[in-house]
Every structure is written in structure tokens, then in C-alpha cells.
Amino acid sequence: MKNRILYIIFLGILVTSCSDDFMEPESRSTFDNQYIYSNVDDARNGVNAIYSYFNQDAFRSRLSNNMAGNTDIEHSSGWTSEADRYQIWDLEALPSNRDLDIVWTYAYRAIRDANISIESIRASGSLESTDANEQADFYQLLGEAYTLRAYWYSMLIFYFGDVPYVTSAPVAGDDFNLPKTDRNEILSGVIQDLIDIESNMKWADELPYGIEQVSREYTMGMIARLSLQRGGYFLKPDLTMDRESDYLDYYQIAKEYSQKLVELKDRPLPRDFRQVFLNQAKFISPVNSDVLFEVPFSLNSGDVGWNIGITVIGGPTAAHDYGSGNNYMSIPPTYYFSFDTLDIRRDVTCGLYQINEQFEKEFVEASYDISQGKWSRHFLDNPPGASSAKGTGINWPMMRYSDVLLMYAEAENELNGPTNLAQEALARVRQRAFEDTYWPEKVDQYINSISGSKESFFEAIVDERAWEFGGEMIRKYELIRWGIYAEKTQETVEELKNLADAAYNGTTDLPIYMYWKTDESGDFEILNPNRKVVAPPDDTWNQVPFLLSLHSDETQYQEWILYDWENYYNGPNPGVARYIFPIPTIAIENSQGTLKNDGYGF
């Protein structure tokens, strides 16, 4: 589908203005909008403009993965540099931070183009067309615009808190300098927008681009996700966490729409967990499967497999043509060892190898180099070139059906406790994680053991979402809405210290060293991924310090353990993660005094 997706991503740019001021974009004329939205094909081009912002750095290398750490399952070191992305990783970003400026600017450009599409479609008369096909097509386009706008508002709220709520297309003479609106008012508004439109949208199997296009199932999933955000905790300017008193109303909405999707468009989760992500590197996008929507990067576009995924060491001197890709967000060994050893998701999610210049697998240097194993440029069928880096064309998953099942289980539990309905939804996700011979113990007995109370079932949901979505960079948003961001990062640090001490003292059954080799068939093999061994059976095995690499003779623990998460639990208000960032300087200046950075310790 890549040739058609090249069209959907980039044609939108042709109808997008290039104004530098998010609040004061170049206005399109009424005539232009009437022309663009006078028929389905041209209106499609107008809505494509909204999709085009996924191909900007604001999303492809920032919101999608680079800015979505640190958490208990994904992390990077921010304290080692004052560069823009390091400031964000360390929760110490300045208003002058260029990455924040990029996200703010392009989010509001996407919102602007969504507003243009929404108003123009509603004014076109096509929603009242006597041609049923034309009417259905325009309702679908309208739903796409509303859903994409809701996504960008969700991200703005997670990163900046209260922000201006722009819902009208730009018109010359309007006052573009809008004040902040309470984030919960914004979320309530965009949720209602999606509730009003979803029933008029089309399923992915009815769309020309399938899951590479916003569909009814993705919009329904977004209603549930946004409702959990609205019903969850948020950081207030006084650096305390709170939630609105009506939060259960939004858990009810999350339950209703996740349940509605299951009832109207259920599908089995594909048994092959690895293939779900290989599909993105193979340019396969099956409908009625796990992925509900994935960002359709065109060939020579997108950063998946460049700044996230299994490392590939390439370049002009390499013996392969796959280029170079690294991993900005590694996976801590605490997460790796949190998995049941029989859980097939672990070895898909946690990459213990990299690809060297000879195009051979070799073990990562140490336990702090575990990568997100779900993607890599070496999975591509056609190597992109020895000197290539960015632009792999690998799509990025925005939501999966397993997410809907777990949101349903979570919402049902919050409202009614661990009912049979909640247990069944959780069971469906766990069944894929284990071979069916293990279901009696790993699914049935496990779920029975954690269903004694609402609290224990919730903790199981927190764990299950970690195991299911590791590396997909949504954990940050979950920890925020659960109000446990600081708690989980501090737990991670303490657990890493415990692993380091046990390895140094020899009091652990986990692998102090790991042993690996490439066998006679050329296959990469790890001798002891789960347990300590005293020595390998022969000298064909390579030895790598694993948990022992967490220890430092100088500082007792490696510095990354001491500092990578420190500001997440020991920041301006210890015990609360200050995840909100300042509004960029340029936005403050352009607002002519309407906006300012107040609160949050700025």
C-alpha cells in the first residue's frame, strides 16, 4: 500500500500554508475552501493536509517515541547533556527548547487544518446529499478530521497542561490570541465530538487505505483512550496530582465505547505476536486484526528503525546495505525480568542483540543496552542503502485491539470491580502471550489469583499493559493518568539497585553473566536468558556481564541508575513527577501577553 500512502501523506502538504505563527496562520479564501470541499476527491486532499503533520519531526521522531520516556519500562539518560531532547528526558526543559517549539507549532497547524476541514465539510451541503455514497464519504472525512484534531489536543495536554482551545478555522480579522482553556474542558469537548460522529464513519475494511487511515474502530478506541485520560489524574500548577470529581462518568464512557467496539467489530488477536510488528517492516497492513490505525509513512520517510528499534551498525564500510539505526530509548533489565519466562512477548519486545557491520547478530554490550525489539531496519525485505539512516518507511502503530480489550477490563474494574466481563477481556490478551498448553496456569489460575479485589486486579492491569505495549511508547501517558508516574520510576531505581547488589554479592539466581554464540547454522543463541550459570559448557560461548554491569566500583551503582529517573520522583515536589513542560518562548511572544508560563515551578 506504500505507493498510495505516499499520496495520502504528502498531497496534504500542497494545501497547507506555511505560516510560522500557530495562532495567526495564513487564511485560505472562502472560494478556495468551497472549491476544495465541493467534491469527495478534493475534500480528501484537504483532509490529507492533517495527516501530513505525522511526517514532521514533531511526531515522527518526537511524540511517537523520542519524548515519551522515561518510564518504568523505557528510559534514556537526560542528565548527560543540555541539548533539547536531553532536557526533555530529564524533565528540565527550558521555554527556549526547540523540540517543544516544534511540537507546539505543528500540533496547532494540524489543529488549524482540521478546523478548516470540519467547517468546510459542514458548510459544503454534502452531509445532506441525496447521494448516499457521497454523504457517507463526507461523514467519514469529517470523522477523520475530528479524530486527528482530538489526538493533537490530547498530546498538547499531556505535555503542556491547559492550552488554547481553537475550534474555528482562521478568518482574517479574528483575534487569534486565545487564552488557555482548562484541559478537562478540552478533553470533554473532543470526546463529545467523537461520540457525535463515530456512528457515521466507516470500518477499516471499508476504506481504501484500511488501517493506514483513521477508521470507525480507531475513533471508538480514541473515545475510550481520551475518556480514561479525562477521568485520570493530572498535574496541577501547584505540583500536586488531582482528578475531577466526575471521573467515573468518563470511565463509564470508556467502558461503553470499548465494549461497543467489541460487540460491533470483534476480531481474534493474531496468535503470532512477533508478526504484528514485522508486518510494519514488511509493509503489510491487515484489516480486522490487532492494529487499528498506524501512521502511514511513505518510503524514504519515518524514523522507525532509525531512532527506535534493534541497533544496526552500518555505513559505507559495512558489509551490508541496511544502513544505520540505533535506539534512543532502551529497556531496563527490571522490565525484562518482570516477564514470565514463558511469555512470548518478552523476546519480541526486548532486543538482546544488535546487528554488526558484517550483518551478524551479536549480544548487546550490557544490560543497559536492551532495545525495543519490535522493530528494526534489518527486518526490511529491501535494504535501503549502506549510507541510509532515517526514512525507513516502517509504519508506526497508534492503537491496537489488545489496547481496547485492556481499556475495557480497566474501566469495568474501576466501575464494578473484577467482574467476569473484566476477567474475560484480560484473559483474551494473556492467552496470546502463552502457548495454549500453559493457559490453565498462566491464564486461568493467574486471573483467578488477581481477581480477589478491585485493587489487585488494577495492579494486574498495570502489569499487563507493561508487558503488552513495551516499546510502543504509551506507558508515560498511562502512568500520568493513573497518578503513579513518580512511584513507578522510583520503584524501578530501587529494583535496579537490588539487582546490582545481588549480582555483585552472588546472591541471585538471575544471570550475572550471559553467554552467547553464533552456532554452526549461523543462528544467534543465548545460553542462559533466564538464570545464572556457573560456567558455559565449552569455550565456544562468549561471556558478557549482564546484571553485574549494573554495579560500579566507584559509585556502587552505574550513574544511569542514580540519575536517569531522579527528577521523576525527586524533582521540585518529591514524590510527584513534573511531566508538564513550559510553553515555548516563541508562542509566549506571539500571544501578545495572552499566554504565560505560570505555576509548575517554572
Side-chain angles (χ1 to χ4, degrees), residues 177-476:
N177 298 311
L178 299 180
K180 297 178 185 177
T181 296
D182 183 278
R183 74 200 78 187
N184 292 304
E185 179 182 336
I186 298 173
L187 288 170
S188 295
V190 298
I191 290 167
Q192 190 60 52
D193 289 338
L194 302 193
I195 289 174
D196 292 341
I197 193 64
E198 66 84 12
S199 62
N200 289 311
M201 295 179 68
K202 298 182 181 182
W203 302 111
D205 58 15
E206 299 174 314
L207 296 173
Y209 304 114
I211 62 170
E212 292 181 316
Q213 185 175 350
V214 169
S215 63
R216 186 181 181 188
E217 50 256 65
Y218 176 63
T219 296
M220 294 171 73
M222 279 296 288
I223 293 172
R225 179 178 284 181
L226 291 164
S227 295
L228 292 177
Q229 181 181 359
R230 171 62 174 80
Y233 288 90
F234 58 92
L235 183 66
K236 296 169 62 177
D238 65 358
L239 293 177
T240 61
M241 296 293 287
D242 199 3
R243 74 194 317 179
E244 293 290 283
S245 60
D246 61 354
Y247 74 95
L248 288 178
D249 294 342
Y250 287 89
Y251 273 84
Q252 182 64 36
I253 294 173
K255 175 193 170 181
E256 289 177 2
Y257 279 86
S258 52
Q259 183 176 24
K260 183 177 181 181
L261 178 53
V262 170
E263 291 174 348
L264 293 180
K265 199 68 171 176
D266 196 14
R267 75 281 311 276
L269 293 176
R271 291 290 299 149
D272 191 338
F273 188 69
R274 183 178 297 277
Q275 191 63 45
V276 172
F277 308 98
L278 276 178
N279 283 343
Q280 285 130 36
K282 304 299 183 184
F283 306 151
I284 301 169
S285 302
V287 296
N288 298 323
S289 190
D290 197 354
V291 177
L292 302 185
F293 173 52
E294 58 188 22
V295 171
F297 289 121
S298 62
L299 293 174
N300 304 314
S301 171
D303 291 347
V304 185
W306 175 67
N307 69 349
I308 187 169
I310 294 171
T311 295
V312 176
I313 303 172
T317 62
H320 63 83
D321 291 326
Y322 282 83
S324 302
N326 53 27
N327 194 61
Y328 284 9
M329 285 282 169
S330 61
I331 285 173
T334 45
Y335 174 59
Y336 175 82
F337 287 115
S338 74
F339 281 91
D340 189 297
T341 58
L342 296 174
D343 191 330
I344 64 174
R345 296 172 296 189
R346 185 193 69 177
D347 294 342
V348 174
T349 303
C350 303
L352 294 181
Y353 70 90
Q354 63 184 16
I355 303 296
N356 64 24
E357 288 185 314
Q358 302 306 312
F359 206 62
E360 299 168 336
K361 291 181 179 179
E362 60 184 23
F363 200 85
V364 294
E365 290 186 10
S367 60
Y368 51 78
D369 285 326
I370 303 173
S371 63
Q372 285 100 335
K374 290 176 177 176
W375 307 277
S376 180
R377 63 194 309 113
H378 87 281
F379 296 156
L380 293 166
D381 289 332
N382 298 311
S387 299
S388 63
K390 297 165 73 75
T392 62
I394 299 172
N395 284 1
W396 181 254
M398 295 286 278
M399 184 179 290
R400 297 194 284 114
Y401 192 60
S402 57
D403 196 344
V404 174
L405 293 173
L406 290 178
M407 287 192 290
Y408 176 65
E410 179 185 346
E412 170 67 7
N413 180 62
E414 184 68 26
L415 294 165
N416 303 309
T419 63
N420 288 336
L421 293 174
Q423 293 178 44
E424 289 167 6
L426 175 57
R428 290 185 62 180
V429 176
R430 284 191 67 82
Q431 283 170 348
R432 178 173 59 184
F434 298 93
E435 298 294 338
D436 54 8
T437 54
Y438 299 114
W439 286 3
E441 176 188 359
K442 302 300 183 181
V443 180
D444 301 336
Q445 292 179 27
Y446 172 81
I447 290 179
N448 183 62
S449 71
I450 53 88
S451 297
S453 70
K454 175 180 174 179
E455 291 73 24
S456 60
F457 194 85
F458 169 74
E459 291 300 325
I461 290 291
V462 171
D463 290 341
E464 200 67 40
R465 292 191 68 89
W467 298 323
E468 180 70 13
F469 303 113
E472 295 176 57
M473 309 309 291
I474 61 174
R475 185 66 165 180
K476 174 177 183 173

Side-chain angles (χ1 to χ4, degrees), residues 40 87 136 159 179 333 388 434 504 513 549 598:
V40 170
Q87 292 179 13
Y159 286 94
S388 63
F434 298 93
Y504 182 70
Y513 294 92
S549 66
D598 49 354

Side-chain angles (χ1 to χ4, degrees), residues 146-179:
Y146 273 125
T147 305
L148 294 171
R149 185 175 75 175
Y151 166 79
W152 285 103
Y153 271 124
S154 174
M155 291 297 102
L156 284 169
I157 287 167
F158 272 127
Y159 286 94
F160 300 104
D162 299 339
V163 296
Y165 188 25
V166 187
T167 58
S168 300
V171 176
D174 278 0
D175 181 6
F176 299 111
N177 298 311
L178 299 180

